[in-house]
Amino acid sequence: MKTELKAKFLQHILDKKKGDEGFTLIELLVVIIIIGILSAIALPSFLNQANKAKQSEAKTYTGSMNRAQQAYYLENTTFTDSIGALGLGIATQTVNYEYSAVLLSGSTSVVSNQAKVRVTTAPLKSYIGIVEVTNQAATSEATTVAVLCEGKNAMVNGGKNADQATVAYTAGAPVCPNANTDFVSLAK
């Protein structure tokens, strides 16, 4: 009788080990479905972060162009429409943006630094930096002031590109083109 009991016990242990060898098909399907749901939730957030990184390039370049125009004016008493003359070492064209400096027609005291979106169906915003010379009321000294403007909407959502905006001379403080409708001010 003891040998029968030993045989049944060994049979029970062997049967239990065979059951613990792997996952069932249903368990695998549940895990795959959960991974799919998590991916569907995370993908839009990831794509949005990628667009923000691309826009960060344009924001940084345009802000650098503004500061370089101010330094250039300090040395030469005029602005320039040549990005190379600013000495920044930035490319005038990248995968997402084209950069340019445009002197306001009829005035040598205002310049527009532009980051134009290359693909008009891209989910990216355009940027404009405006630098102008103004006189301080208290000291009557000339100084340069700058503003950085961001497109209110991405190009794919009907936003305006930087070269479509009309920059006007404000005589005192630069203002974003079509403020609050097409472009919004980021910093002065």
Side-chain angles (χ1 to χ4, degrees):
M1 196 130 139
K2 287 184 179 180
T3 56
E4 285 180 30
L5 187 60
K6 285 181 184 178
K8 283 186 179 180
F9 181 69
L10 287 173
Q11 185 66 32
H12 177 70
I13 291 175
L14 290 174
D15 287 343
K16 194 171 185 179
K17 282 186 180 178
K18 285 182 184 177
D20 292 340
E21 285 182 8
F23 298 106
T24 65
L25 184 60
I26 292 176
E27 290 171 332
L28 289 174
L29 286 174
V30 167
V31 169
I32 290 171
I33 290 170
I34 290 172
I35 291 172
I37 290 170
L38 291 175
S39 297
I41 292 170
L43 185 63
S45 177
F46 171 75
L47 292 175
N48 191 27
Q49 292 302 318
N51 289 335
K52 282 183 180 181
K54 293 172 185 175
Q55 290 176 174
S56 178
E57 168 206 306
K59 220 184 294 188
T60 301
Y61 276 22
T62 308
S64 296
M65 290 167 62
N66 277 358
R67 289 183 291 284
Q69 287 283 8
Q70 289 174 308
Y72 188 88
Y73 187 87
L74 183 64
E75 293 175 5
N76 301 295
T77 63
T78 186
F79 292 116
T80 181
D81 59 357
S82 168
I83 294 176
L86 296 175
L88 291 172
I90 63 173
T92 57
Q93 185 171 318
T94 62
V95 173
N96 302 302
Y97 289 94
E98 288 179 21
Y99 300 96
S100 61
V102 179
L103 295 171
L104 189 64
S105 65
S107 174
T108 58
S109 59
V110 180
V111 66
S112 170
N113 300 306
Q114 302 176 354
K116 175 185 167 189
V117 179
R118 290 185 65 199
V119 179
T120 57
T121 56
L124 301 173
K125 296 178 179 181
S126 63
Y127 292 87
I128 298 176
I130 305 165
V131 185
E132 94 177 39
V133 179
T134 185
N135 286 324
Q136 292 290 337
T139 62
S140 296
E141 292 179 351
T143 186
T144 56
V145 265
V147 67
L148 181 61
C149 307
E150 177 182 64
K152 192 164 186 171
N153 295 315
M155 295 302 296
V156 72
N157 295 331
K160 284 220 174 187
N161 218 337
D163 62 342
Q164 297 171 335
T166 305
V167 177
Y169 181 68
T170 58
V175 178
C176 293
N178 300 329
N180 300 324
T181 57
D182 294 333
F183 288 88
V184 292
S185 176
L186 294 178
K188 284 194 175 187

